[in-house]
Amino acid sequence: MTSRSQPEGRPRLWVVPSHDEGSPRPSRPRLPPPTLDDSELLASIRAGDPDAAAALHDRLRPAVERSIRRLLGYGDRDHEDLTQQAMIEVVYTIDRFRGDCPLEAWASTVAAHVVYNQIRRRTTERRIFDTVRLDEGDEPASLHSLSRDAAARSTLRRVMTHLDAIDEAKAWTYVLHDVCGYDLREVAQITETSVAAAQSRLVRGRRELRERLAGDPELASMLTEKSKGEHQ
Amino acid sequence: MTPDPLDRVTRMLQKAVSDVGDVEALPPQREAAVARLAEAVRRRAQLQRRKRAIYMFVAAAAAVLVVAGGAWMARRPDAAVAGGRDLGRVVDPTGGVTVLRDGHSEAIGQGSRVAEGAELRTPASSEARLDFDSGTRVTIGGSARVRLVEQSQRKRFSLEAGSFFATVAKLTAEERFVVATPDAEVEVRGTAFRVTIVPPNPACQNGSPTRLEVVEGVVVVRHGGVERRVAAGERWPDCNETASATPAPAAPAPTMATTASATRAVAPSPSTPPSMAQRAAPVAPVAPVAPEASSRLAEQNDLFEQAMRLKRGGDAPAAIAKLDRLLGSYPGGPLAESAAVERMRLLATSDRARAKVAAQDYLRRYPRGAGRAEAEALVTGGP
């Protein structure tokens, strides 16, 4: 667990497991190390060998988890289902992997696509960065670091209102590319569009968001306050 | 400088998403997750096998359709022409029509099929009609001897005596219809015509016994290395002409002399088809040939005749040399194709390698030429 700098005048208690100085901090069990290299793994999956499932799971689960947590936050109620869904999607789309990027990057893209579809379906009124939107006083379901900071959450919620106000496709493109770090090709794959369309959405999304943010002086002061708080 | 609010927001969001916790930790329900994944691997393999089976079924079904389509095509009336032999069927024969096959003569009757290689003979005052699957009809007059040389897409008849009337169905680009007489060749394109062997008349076409009358369409006649188109209402030779379309050969064609002695020219059969008997079309005059052109034609004729004479004399190299000179001087002339065929034949008897090259060249220049079958046989190394 990491400690965060606290806003001035607001003490906060952190529950930290006690441990003796010098003794190794107990850690959770780790995923087993890989037993097959990528080419062997892919060949086994493509050949329909169910025994390769364990190797595939252990190899790609971290990338899948990371992708889902970035978009929905850690501890989301649908997290486990979405992870499983994304892993299965990796199996069914294994033939599309051409080896032109690392296997983890491809799995991460598949996972982001699963989240994208989940949110678009709006079956549970899901929205990106959903855990951040929790109101003050709500028990945070997520251990997302920022969600613990009320001021940060407040700022984020304000940013979310602007993100929600622009076209959904542009918002997604901005988040996936500028925030999560996917390249345009991956963004196009995730959002099921062309690279050219993704680039166009990115440019327009940035422009619209910038205009909205510039027209919100209250947010500007919140951002300034936050910035001051971080430097202290 | 005022910082860009978008940059600040982006950095904030990046920081927000960077902390994802410990993703390397063993998930609590790993076994169940692996089991579900294994099931997905099995199901994917099953789907792939099913897809492959569907593809193979579709491919097999397509193959069956192709085969069935081909069989259906083969059963079509004209498929005999397209795919193989077009056998003539005897219709309404009058008495005494015989067919000579493999040295044996036998009478034929209504509905008999006459195959390639057979020779039909009709006594005087009789005739035989052959109906082909392609729609072509041939009527052979009395005292006739007609051999069915080839009966595939290329029909070739050899008329050695008597008369031969044909109504030829429209031919495709691949088909040909040729009637050869002892000294001429008549080729048609969807037409009706009559070819007769008559007693040679020295005053008419140097005594050629061949007479051609065209009822419908256009017929090409080749004689002495010269090709002539004869249209409906025209005859060949037109012995009433005051000016000849082609110069007379320098020497009578040996085949004519040979044939005149060996063939008994027979007057046209009295049982001429009504349309022929009623026909009295005027003969169109043929434009005279300019002197210069006439001399070039004469030289071509001379070279060709000399080559043929040398060939009959057994001097193949000399004959080839003559043909080479003809082809070299007049590569696009009216005798070029015939010369190429003869050259190919001569080379086949002495130098197969050169013959093959000559055959390949012939096929390139004349893909639908009269010598195509021979050329193809030389190229493939067949007999």
Side-chain angles (χ1 to χ4, degrees):
Chain A
M1 287 186 185
T2 58
S3 62
R4 303 281 174 186
S5 56
Q6 300 302 313
E8 196 171 12
R10 292 187 62 181
R12 195 170 183 106
L13 293 175
W14 295 88
V15 177
V16 178
S18 61
H19 59 276
D20 298 329
E21 285 290 330
S23 65
R25 188 187 294 269
S27 60
R28 290 172 60 186
R30 320 304 292 165
L31 283 165
T35 53
L36 299 170
D37 65 25
D38 285 358
S39 58
E40 289 170 331
L41 180 61
L42 290 169
S44 297
I45 297 296
R46 284 168 177 155
D49 182 6
D51 294 336
L56 184 75
H57 174 274
D58 298 339
R59 176 78 174 79
L60 296 181
R61 176 142 187 153
V64 169
E65 288 253 28
R66 195 175 294 117
S67 185
I68 293 173
R69 291 181 188 186
R70 281 194 304 190
L71 292 170
L72 288 181
Y74 180 45
D76 183 273
R77 61 180 182 276
D78 293 331
H79 171 84
E80 187 57 35
D81 282 347
L82 287 174
T83 301
Q84 193 69 64
Q85 210 174 314
M87 292 295 297
I88 291 173
E89 189 70 10
V90 165
V91 169
Y92 279 116
T93 58
I94 199 87
D95 289 330
R96 293 184 208 162
F97 178 65
R98 296 279 178 259
D100 50 359
C101 65
L103 194 55
E104 292 94 340
W106 179 65
S108 172
T109 304
V110 172
H113 182 244
V114 168
V115 171
Y116 173 78
N117 278 336
Q118 172 78 1
I119 291 178
R120 280 180 66 208
R121 272 187 232 118
R122 300 190 188 280
T123 54
T124 56
E125 292 299 319
R126 302 307 313 276
R127 287 177 295 178
I128 194 168
F129 299 148
D130 222 8
T131 54
V132 176
R133 301 170 194 270
L134 290 174
D135 292 331
E136 284 282 348
D138 286 344
E139 185 68 30
S142 167
L143 294 175
H144 199 289
S145 56
L146 274 180
S147 69
R148 296 187 209 127
D149 184 327
R153 282 165 59 187
S154 180
T155 307
L156 269 177
R157 275 198 293 273
R158 191 110 180 169
V159 168
M160 290 304 121
T161 58
H162 292 295
L163 214 49
D164 288 342
I166 69 172
D167 175 68
E168 185 184 7
K170 292 172 192 165
W172 263 102
T173 304
Y174 160 77
V175 167
L176 288 169
H177 184 272
D178 287 357
V179 178
C180 297
Y182 291 101
D183 63 29
L184 278 175
R185 188 180 57 84
E186 289 166 332
V187 171
Q189 200 176 327
I190 293 165
T191 58
E192 297 171 1
T193 187
S194 66
V195 172
Q199 185 168 25
S200 172
R201 287 175 185 174
L202 179 64
V203 169
R204 291 179 191 170
R206 282 172 179 166
R207 185 168 61 229
E208 285 181 32
L209 198 54
R210 184 178 284 112
E211 286 169 3
R212 290 194 66 88
L213 295 173
D216 188 351
E218 190 174 338
L219 178 59
S221 66
M222 290 165 79
L223 287 170
T224 304
E225 285 295 323
K226 182 178 184 312
S227 177
K228 281 181 187 171
E230 284 170 355
H231 287 123
Q232 287 176 350
Chain B
M1 188 172 152
T2 310
D4 182 3
L6 181 61
D7 284 343
R8 294 168 75 179
V9 163
T10 301
R11 279 197 300 275
M12 184 181 69
L13 290 171
Q14 285 171 346
K15 191 176 178 185
V17 304
S18 63
D19 184 8
V20 293
D22 187 5
V23 295
E24 300 284 346
L26 193 70
Q29 296 174 357
R30 176 182 175 276
E31 296 302 322
V34 169
R36 283 194 286 272
L37 214 54
E39 182 56 30
V41 171
R42 268 190 290 268
R43 288 199 65 195
R44 178 194 164 275
Q46 204 174 31
L47 278 170
Q48 298 286 58
R49 282 194 295 271
R50 214 173 286 166
K51 267 189 214 171
R52 276 196 293 272
I54 290 171
Y55 293 152
M56 286 176 63
F57 173 76
V58 169
V64 166
L65 282 173
V66 167
V67 169
W72 174 75
M73 289 287 291
R75 284 195 292 272
R76 285 175 53 206
D78 59 347
V81 177
R85 300 295 184 235
D86 185 14
L87 302 181
R89 186 167 50 88
V90 177
V91 177
D92 299 330
T94 55
V97 179
T98 58
V99 63
L100 184 68
R101 245 192 300 253
D102 300 327
H104 300 289
S105 178
E106 55 189 74
I108 55 170
Q110 169 76 21
S112 295
R113 287 283 192 182
V114 188
E116 193 172 283
E119 181 179 300
L120 280 173
R121 294 181 176 186
T122 57
S125 305
S126 70
E127 67 177 28
R129 197 179 96 195
L130 293 177
D131 284 357
F132 291 85
D133 293 334
S134 56
T136 292
R137 282 188 176 183
V138 168
T139 301
I140 302 168
S143 303
R145 286 208 310 275
V146 176
R147 191 158 54 85
L148 282 63
V149 178
E150 195 175 346
Q151 296 300 300
S152 60
Q153 283 183 280
R154 292 157 49 87
K155 284 195 183 29
R156 191 178 181 86
F157 301 85
S158 174
L159 176 67
E160 295 174 16
S163 66
F164 179 105
F165 178 80
T167 304
V168 181
K170 188 169 171 55
L171 302 174
T172 66
E174 302 302 316
E175 295 171 313
R176 299 183 72 178
F177 190 99
V178 177
V179 178
T181 65
D183 71 326
E185 216 175 62
V186 177
E187 184 163 2
V188 302
R189 291 276 186 268
T191 186
F193 69 98
R194 177 179 164 194
V195 180
T196 309
I197 302 293
V198 300
N201 178 2
C204 180
Q205 198 64 38
N206 289 316
S208 168
T210 303
R211 296 290 181 270
L212 169 68
E213 290 178 76
V214 178
V215 177
E216 288 178 34
V218 177
V219 168
V220 169
V221 59
R222 283 184 283 271
H223 174 261
V226 178
E227 203 171 271
R228 166 80 190 275
R229 291 170 68 86
V230 184
E234 295 180 351
R235 295 182 293 184
W236 184 90
D238 185 1
C239 296
N240 293 328
E241 292 177 0
T242 54
S244 175
T246 56
T255 52
M256 286 177 61
T258 307
T259 304
S261 62
T263 305
R264 283 198 300 161
V266 179
S269 166
S271 57
T272 306
S275 59
M276 286 297 302
Q278 291 166 1
R279 177 78 50 177
V283 176
V286 179
V289 178
E292 189 181 339
S294 175
S295 67
R296 289 201 297 270
L297 284 170
E299 186 183 358
Q300 292 175 65
N301 279 331
D302 287 348
L303 285 169
F304 191 85
E305 290 297 333
Q306 287 163 19
M308 292 301 100
R309 200 175 309 121
L310 288 164
K311 173 186 174 182
R312 285 188 294 276
D315 192 352
I320 292 171
K322 287 287 181 186
L323 292 170
D324 284 341
R325 186 177 154 194
L326 170 59
L327 289 166
S329 302
Y330 304 98
L335 292 173
E337 185 185 344
S338 299
V341 171
E342 291 298 333
R343 182 173 179 275
M344 190 171 65
R345 288 172 179 164
L346 284 164
L347 285 170
T349 61
S350 58
D351 189 336
R352 293 291 287 192
R354 284 181 67 195
K356 187 173 177 179
V357 171
Q360 288 166 337
D361 182 64
Y362 176 84
L363 288 170
R364 267 194 302 272
R365 289 164 60 85
Y366 308 102
R368 296 195 186 96
R372 187 178 70 181
E374 284 179 75
E376 286 170 350
L378 278 170
V379 169
T380 57

